[in-house]
PDB file of all heavy atoms in Angstrom:
ATOM      1  N   ALA A 328      32.575  20.089  67.510  1.00 90.00           N
ATOM      2  CA  ALA A 328      33.449  20.431  66.384  1.00 90.00           C
ATOM      3  C   ALA A 328      33.725  21.920  66.354  1.00 90.00           C
ATOM      4  O   ALA A 328      34.861  22.359  66.111  1.00 90.00           O
ATOM      5  CB  ALA A 328      32.808  19.975  65.076  1.00 90.00           C
ATOM      6  N   TRP A 329      32.685  22.735  66.606  1.00 87.00           N
ATOM      7  CA  TRP A 329      32.866  24.187  66.646  1.00 87.00           C
ATOM      8  C   TRP A 329      33.886  24.583  67.715  1.00 87.00           C
ATOM      9  O   TRP A 329      34.768  25.421  67.497  1.00 87.00           O
ATOM     10  CB  TRP A 329      31.518  24.843  66.911  1.00 87.00           C
ATOM     11  CG  TRP A 329      31.564  26.319  67.158  1.00 87.00           C
ATOM     12  CD1 TRP A 329      31.684  26.954  68.353  1.00 87.00           C
ATOM     13  CD2 TRP A 329      31.481  27.348  66.174  1.00 87.00           C
ATOM     14  NE1 TRP A 329      31.684  28.300  68.194  1.00 87.00           N
ATOM     15  CE2 TRP A 329      31.562  28.580  66.859  1.00 87.00           C
ATOM     16  CE3 TRP A 329      31.344  27.345  64.792  1.00 87.00           C
ATOM     17  CZ2 TRP A 329      31.504  29.802  66.208  1.00 87.00           C
ATOM     18  CZ3 TRP A 329      31.283  28.565  64.141  1.00 87.00           C
ATOM     19  CH2 TRP A 329      31.366  29.768  64.831  1.00 87.00           C
ATOM     20  N   ASP A 330      33.764  23.944  68.888  1.00 87.00           N
ATOM     21  CA  ASP A 330      34.693  24.264  69.983  1.00 87.00           C
ATOM     22  C   ASP A 330      36.118  23.864  69.622  1.00 87.00           C
ATOM     23  O   ASP A 330      37.079  24.579  69.956  1.00 87.00           O
ATOM     24  CB  ASP A 330      34.243  23.557  71.258  1.00 87.00           C
ATOM     25  CG  ASP A 330      32.924  24.113  71.802  1.00 87.00           C
ATOM     26  OD1 ASP A 330      32.584  25.260  71.453  1.00 87.00           O
ATOM     27  OD2 ASP A 330      32.234  23.378  72.539  1.00 87.00           O
ATOM     28  N   ARG A 331      36.294  22.728  68.947  1.00 91.00           N
ATOM     29  CA  ARG A 331      37.648  22.306  68.554  1.00 91.00           C
ATOM     30  C   ARG A 331      38.244  23.270  67.534  1.00 91.00           C
ATOM     31  O   ARG A 331      39.433  23.586  67.571  1.00 91.00           O
ATOM     32  CB  ARG A 331      37.609  20.900  67.947  1.00 91.00           C
ATOM     33  CG  ARG A 331      37.389  19.767  68.933  1.00 91.00           C
ATOM     34  CD  ARG A 331      37.334  18.442  68.187  1.00 91.00           C
ATOM     35  NE  ARG A 331      38.614  18.150  67.539  1.00 91.00           N
ATOM     36  CZ  ARG A 331      38.764  17.265  66.548  1.00 91.00           C
ATOM     37  NH1 ARG A 331      37.695  16.627  66.073  1.00 91.00           N
ATOM     38  NH2 ARG A 331      39.956  17.051  66.035  1.00 91.00           N
ATOM     39  N   LEU A 332      37.420  23.736  66.603  1.00 91.00           N
ATOM     40  CA  LEU A 332      37.913  24.644  65.576  1.00 91.00           C
ATOM     41  C   LEU A 332      38.212  26.035  66.133  1.00 91.00           C
ATOM     42  O   LEU A 332      39.128  26.710  65.666  1.00 91.00           O
ATOM     43  CB  LEU A 332      36.880  24.754  64.445  1.00 91.00           C
ATOM     44  CG  LEU A 332      36.652  23.467  63.645  1.00 91.00           C
ATOM     45  CD1 LEU A 332      35.440  23.610  62.740  1.00 91.00           C
ATOM     46  CD2 LEU A 332      37.889  23.138  62.808  1.00 91.00           C
ATOM     47  N   ASP A 333      37.427  26.482  67.098  1.00 91.00           N
ATOM     48  CA  ASP A 333      37.644  27.759  67.774  1.00 91.00           C
ATOM     49  C   ASP A 333      37.729  28.935  66.801  1.00 91.00           C
ATOM     50  O   ASP A 333      38.698  29.705  66.817  1.00 91.00           O
ATOM     51  CB  ASP A 333      38.922  27.680  68.631  1.00 91.00           C
ATOM     52  CG  ASP A 333      39.041  28.855  69.598  1.00 91.00           C
ATOM     53  OD1 ASP A 333      37.998  29.495  69.878  1.00 91.00           O
ATOM     54  OD2 ASP A 333      40.172  29.155  70.029  1.00 91.00           O
ATOM     55  N   PRO A 334      36.744  29.118  65.918  1.00 92.00           N
ATOM     56  CA  PRO A 334      36.802  30.226  64.962  1.00 92.00           C
ATOM     57  C   PRO A 334      36.565  31.569  65.663  1.00 92.00           C
ATOM     58  O   PRO A 334      35.709  31.680  66.540  1.00 92.00           O
ATOM     59  CB  PRO A 334      35.681  29.901  63.981  1.00 92.00           C
ATOM     60  CG  PRO A 334      34.713  29.086  64.774  1.00 92.00           C
ATOM     61  CD  PRO A 334      35.521  28.311  65.771  1.00 92.00           C
ATOM     62  N   ARG A 335      37.322  32.592  65.243  1.00 91.00           N
ATOM     63  CA  ARG A 335      37.190  33.912  65.866  1.00 91.00           C
ATOM     64  C   ARG A 335      36.817  35.016  64.875  1.00 91.00           C
ATOM     65  O   ARG A 335      36.268  36.036  65.288  1.00 91.00           O
ATOM     66  CB  ARG A 335      38.496  34.270  66.580  1.00 91.00           C
ATOM     67  CG  ARG A 335      38.881  33.317  67.695  1.00 91.00           C
ATOM     68  CD  ARG A 335      37.815  33.283  68.790  1.00 91.00           C
ATOM     69  NE  ARG A 335      38.130  32.346  69.848  1.00 91.00           N
ATOM     70  CZ  ARG A 335      38.831  32.681  70.951  1.00 91.00           C
ATOM     71  NH1 ARG A 335      39.251  33.928  71.101  1.00 91.00           N
ATOM     72  NH2 ARG A 335      39.082  31.784  71.865  1.00 91.00           N
ATOM     73  N   SER A 336      37.156  34.849  63.598  1.00 93.00           N
ATOM     74  CA  SER A 336      36.790  35.856  62.602  1.00 93.00           C
ATOM     75  C   SER A 336      36.652  35.161  61.251  1.00 93.00           C
ATOM     76  O   SER A 336      37.225  34.086  61.036  1.00 93.00           O
ATOM     77  CB  SER A 336      37.826  36.978  62.523  1.00 93.00           C
ATOM     78  OG  SER A 336      39.066  36.484  62.051  1.00 93.00           O
ATOM     79  N   SER A 337      35.894  35.789  60.356  1.00 91.00           N
ATOM     80  CA  SER A 337      35.727  35.194  59.033  1.00 91.00           C
ATOM     81  C   SER A 337      35.649  36.285  57.983  1.00 91.00           C
ATOM     82  O   SER A 337      35.166  37.400  58.247  1.00 91.00           O
ATOM     83  CB  SER A 337      34.479  34.305  58.977  1.00 91.00           C
ATOM     84  OG  SER A 337      33.314  35.066  59.236  1.00 91.00           O
ATOM     85  N   LEU A 338      36.115  35.944  56.786  1.00 93.00           N
ATOM     86  CA  LEU A 338      36.100  36.857  55.645  1.00 93.00           C
ATOM     87  C   LEU A 338      35.454  36.134  54.477  1.00 93.00           C
ATOM     88  O   LEU A 338      35.921  35.067  54.067  1.00 93.00           O
ATOM     89  CB  LEU A 338      37.533  37.279  55.293  1.00 93.00           C
ATOM     90  CG  LEU A 338      37.726  38.155  54.044  1.00 93.00           C
ATOM     91  CD1 LEU A 338      37.046  39.514  54.233  1.00 93.00           C
ATOM     92  CD2 LEU A 338      39.213  38.321  53.750  1.00 93.00           C
ATOM     93  N   PHE A 339      34.368  36.702  53.959  1.00 92.00           N
ATOM     94  CA  PHE A 339      33.675  36.131  52.804  1.00 92.00           C
ATOM     95  C   PHE A 339      34.057  36.943  51.567  1.00 92.00           C
ATOM     96  O   PHE A 339      33.804  38.147  51.510  1.00 92.00           O
ATOM     97  CB  PHE A 339      32.157  36.180  53.002  1.00 92.00           C
ATOM     98  CG  PHE A 339      31.662  35.400  54.189  1.00 92.00           C
ATOM     99  CD1 PHE A 339      31.482  36.021  55.415  1.00 92.00           C
ATOM    100  CD2 PHE A 339      31.392  34.050  54.080  1.00 92.00           C
ATOM    101  CE1 PHE A 339      31.036  35.310  56.507  1.00 92.00           C
ATOM    102  CE2 PHE A 339      30.940  33.325  55.165  1.00 92.00           C
ATOM    103  CZ  PHE A 339      30.765  33.951  56.394  1.00 92.00           C
ATOM    104  N   VAL A 340      34.646  36.274  50.578  1.00 92.00           N
ATOM    105  CA  VAL A 340      35.081  36.949  49.360  1.00 92.00           C
ATOM    106  C   VAL A 340      34.341  36.321  48.179  1.00 92.00           C
ATOM    107  O   VAL A 340      34.414  35.099  47.977  1.00 92.00           O
ATOM    108  CB  VAL A 340      36.597  36.829  49.145  1.00 92.00           C
ATOM    109  CG1 VAL A 340      37.048  37.716  47.990  1.00 92.00           C
ATOM    110  CG2 VAL A 340      37.352  37.197  50.407  1.00 92.00           C
ATOM    111  N   PRO A 341      33.615  37.116  47.394  1.00 91.00           N
ATOM    112  CA  PRO A 341      32.860  36.532  46.271  1.00 91.00           C
ATOM    113  C   PRO A 341      33.766  36.015  45.182  1.00 91.00           C
ATOM    114  O   PRO A 341      34.851  36.552  44.929  1.00 91.00           O
ATOM    115  CB  PRO A 341      32.019  37.710  45.773  1.00 91.00           C
ATOM    116  CG  PRO A 341      32.793  38.931  46.177  1.00 91.00           C
ATOM    117  CD  PRO A 341      33.449  38.575  47.481  1.00 91.00           C
ATOM    118  N   LEU A 342      33.328  34.946  44.530  1.00 91.00           N
ATOM    119  CA  LEU A 342      33.993  34.402  43.349  1.00 91.00           C
ATOM    120  C   LEU A 342      33.184  34.852  42.145  1.00 91.00           C
ATOM    121  O   LEU A 342      32.000  34.519  42.014  1.00 91.00           O
ATOM    122  CB  LEU A 342      34.058  32.881  43.422  1.00 91.00           C
ATOM    123  CG  LEU A 342      34.896  32.319  44.579  1.00 91.00           C
ATOM    124  CD1 LEU A 342      34.686  30.811  44.707  1.00 91.00           C
ATOM    125  CD2 LEU A 342      36.374  32.629  44.374  1.00 91.00           C
ATOM    126  N   GLN A 343      33.807  35.619  41.282  1.00 87.00           N
ATOM    127  CA  GLN A 343      33.108  36.217  40.159  1.00 87.00           C
ATOM    128  C   GLN A 343      33.880  35.994  38.866  1.00 87.00           C
ATOM    129  O   GLN A 343      35.096  35.803  38.873  1.00 87.00           O
ATOM    130  CB  GLN A 343      32.943  37.729  40.369  1.00 87.00           C
ATOM    131  CG  GLN A 343      32.096  38.107  41.558  1.00 87.00           C
ATOM    132  CD  GLN A 343      32.038  39.623  41.710  1.00 87.00           C
ATOM    133  OE1 GLN A 343      33.066  40.294  41.787  1.00 87.00           O
ATOM    134  NE2 GLN A 343      30.837  40.163  41.759  1.00 87.00           N
ATOM    135  N   ALA A 344      33.171  36.050  37.774  1.00 83.00           N
ATOM    136  CA  ALA A 344      33.784  36.014  36.440  1.00 83.00           C
ATOM    137  C   ALA A 344      32.754  36.489  35.441  1.00 83.00           C
ATOM    138  O   ALA A 344      31.559  36.185  35.571  1.00 83.00           O
ATOM    139  CB  ALA A 344      34.265  34.608  36.083  1.00 83.00           C
ATOM    140  N   ARG A 345      33.203  37.258  34.483  1.00 78.00           N
ATOM    141  CA  ARG A 345      32.346  37.736  33.402  1.00 78.00           C
ATOM    142  C   ARG A 345      31.104  38.453  33.921  1.00 78.00           C
ATOM    143  O   ARG A 345      30.002  38.291  33.410  1.00 78.00           O
ATOM    144  CB  ARG A 345      31.962  36.580  32.472  1.00 78.00           C
ATOM    145  CG  ARG A 345      33.178  35.941  31.804  1.00 78.00           C
ATOM    146  CD  ARG A 345      32.819  34.658  31.072  1.00 78.00           C
ATOM    147  NE  ARG A 345      33.991  34.104  30.414  1.00 78.00           N
ATOM    148  CZ  ARG A 345      34.870  33.296  30.991  1.00 78.00           C
ATOM    149  NH1 ARG A 345      34.699  32.937  32.246  1.00 78.00           N
ATOM    150  NH2 ARG A 345      35.911  32.848  30.329  1.00 78.00           N
ATOM    151  N   GLY A 346      31.312  39.211  35.013  1.00 74.00           N
ATOM    152  CA  GLY A 346      30.251  40.068  35.509  1.00 74.00           C
ATOM    153  C   GLY A 346      29.227  39.427  36.412  1.00 74.00           C
ATOM    154  O   GLY A 346      28.252  40.076  36.785  1.00 74.00           O
ATOM    155  N   SER A 347      29.399  38.189  36.795  1.00 78.00           N
ATOM    156  CA  SER A 347      28.414  37.545  37.679  1.00 78.00           C
ATOM    157  C   SER A 347      29.123  36.741  38.755  1.00 78.00           C
ATOM    158  O   SER A 347      30.210  36.201  38.540  1.00 78.00           O
ATOM    159  CB  SER A 347      27.478  36.637  36.875  1.00 78.00           C
ATOM    160  OG  SER A 347      28.206  35.584  36.289  1.00 78.00           O
ATOM    161  N   GLY A 348      28.469  36.665  39.919  1.00 82.00           N
ATOM    162  CA  GLY A 348      29.012  35.880  41.014  1.00 82.00           C
ATOM    163  C   GLY A 348      28.426  34.486  41.031  1.00 82.00           C
ATOM    164  O   GLY A 348      27.234  34.303  40.778  1.00 82.00           O
ATOM    165  N   PHE A 349      29.258  33.505  41.322  1.00 85.00           N
ATOM    166  CA  PHE A 349      28.790  32.121  41.321  1.00 85.00           C
ATOM    167  C   PHE A 349      29.298  31.332  42.521  1.00 85.00           C
ATOM    168  O   PHE A 349      29.086  30.126  42.606  1.00 85.00           O
ATOM    169  CB  PHE A 349      29.244  31.412  40.036  1.00 85.00           C
ATOM    170  CG  PHE A 349      30.730  31.394  39.844  1.00 85.00           C
ATOM    171  CD1 PHE A 349      31.521  30.396  40.396  1.00 85.00           C
ATOM    172  CD2 PHE A 349      31.360  32.393  39.109  1.00 85.00           C
ATOM    173  CE1 PHE A 349      32.887  30.383  40.221  1.00 85.00           C
ATOM    174  CE2 PHE A 349      32.724  32.389  38.922  1.00 85.00           C
ATOM    175  CZ  PHE A 349      33.497  31.375  39.485  1.00 85.00           C
ATOM    176  N   GLY A 350      29.935  32.000  43.470  1.00 87.00           N
ATOM    177  CA  GLY A 350      30.432  31.279  44.622  1.00 87.00           C
ATOM    178  C   GLY A 350      31.089  32.217  45.617  1.00 87.00           C
ATOM    179  O   GLY A 350      31.200  33.429  45.401  1.00 87.00           O
ATOM    180  N   VAL A 351      31.521  31.644  46.728  1.00 90.00           N
ATOM    181  CA  VAL A 351      32.147  32.418  47.797  1.00 90.00           C
ATOM    182  C   VAL A 351      33.346  31.660  48.342  1.00 90.00           C
ATOM    183  O   VAL A 351      33.280  30.442  48.556  1.00 90.00           O
ATOM    184  CB  VAL A 351      31.144  32.701  48.938  1.00 90.00           C
ATOM    185  CG1 VAL A 351      31.844  33.332  50.130  1.00 90.00           C
ATOM    186  CG2 VAL A 351      30.022  33.602  48.459  1.00 90.00           C
ATOM    187  N   LEU A 352      34.428  32.393  48.551  1.00 93.00           N
ATOM    188  CA  LEU A 352      35.593  31.882  49.265  1.00 93.00           C
ATOM    189  C   LEU A 352      35.488  32.370  50.705  1.00 93.00           C
ATOM    190  O   LEU A 352      35.469  33.586  50.953  1.00 93.00           O
ATOM    191  CB  LEU A 352      36.879  32.392  48.614  1.00 93.00           C
ATOM    192  CG  LEU A 352      38.189  32.131  49.364  1.00 93.00           C
ATOM    193  CD1 LEU A 352      38.473  30.637  49.468  1.00 93.00           C
ATOM    194  CD2 LEU A 352      39.345  32.868  48.680  1.00 93.00           C
ATOM    195  N   SER A 353      35.388  31.430  51.648  1.00 92.00           N
ATOM    196  CA  SER A 353      35.256  31.778  53.064  1.00 92.00           C
ATOM    197  C   SER A 353      36.565  31.502  53.772  1.00 92.00           C
ATOM    198  O   SER A 353      37.079  30.372  53.724  1.00 92.00           O
ATOM    199  CB  SER A 353      34.131  30.966  53.717  1.00 92.00           C
ATOM    200  OG  SER A 353      32.912  31.167  53.040  1.00 92.00           O
ATOM    201  N   LEU A 354      37.088  32.521  54.436  1.00 95.00           N
ATOM    202  CA  LEU A 354      38.373  32.423  55.142  1.00 95.00           C
ATOM    203  C   LEU A 354      38.122  32.612  56.628  1.00 95.00           C
ATOM    204  O   LEU A 354      37.616  33.662  57.049  1.00 95.00           O
ATOM    205  CB  LEU A 354      39.341  33.484  54.624  1.00 95.00           C
ATOM    206  CG  LEU A 354      39.592  33.477  53.108  1.00 95.00           C
ATOM    207  CD1 LEU A 354      40.384  34.696  52.693  1.00 95.00           C
ATOM    208  CD2 LEU A 354      40.317  32.212  52.705  1.00 95.00           C
ATOM    209  N   VAL A 355      38.452  31.618  57.436  1.00 95.00           N
ATOM    210  CA  VAL A 355      38.179  31.649  58.865  1.00 95.00           C
ATOM    211  C   VAL A 355      39.500  31.620  59.625  1.00 95.00           C
ATOM    212  O   VAL A 355      40.373  30.777  59.347  1.00 95.00           O
ATOM    213  CB  VAL A 355      37.301  30.455  59.295  1.00 95.00           C
ATOM    214  CG1 VAL A 355      36.962  30.550  60.783  1.00 95.00           C
ATOM    215  CG2 VAL A 355      36.025  30.413  58.459  1.00 95.00           C
ATOM    216  N   ARG A 356      39.641  32.533  60.574  1.00 95.00           N
ATOM    217  CA  ARG A 356      40.821  32.558  61.448  1.00 95.00           C
ATOM    218  C   ARG A 356      40.399  32.107  62.835  1.00 95.00           C
ATOM    219  O   ARG A 356      39.310  32.472  63.318  1.00 95.00           O
ATOM    220  CB  ARG A 356      41.427  33.954  61.478  1.00 95.00           C
ATOM    221  CG  ARG A 356      41.971  34.376  60.109  1.00 95.00           C
ATOM    222  CD  ARG A 356      42.844  35.595  60.190  1.00 95.00           C
ATOM    223  NE  ARG A 356      43.490  35.856  58.905  1.00 95.00           N
ATOM    224  CZ  ARG A 356      44.534  36.653  58.756  1.00 95.00           C
ATOM    225  NH1 ARG A 356      45.059  37.265  59.811  1.00 95.00           N
ATOM    226  NH2 ARG A 356      45.063  36.834  57.557  1.00 95.00           N
TER     227      ARG A 356
END
Side-chain angles (χ1 to χ4, degrees):
W329 172 269
D330 292 339
R331 287 178 64 198
L332 294 169
D333 193 20
R335 299 299 178 90
S336 65
S337 61
L338 175 64
F339 299 93
V340 189
L342 296 170
Q343 297 178 305
R345 299 170 178 86
S347 64
F349 59 87
V351 172
L352 171 64
S353 303
L354 305 171
V355 183
R356 295 193 172 196

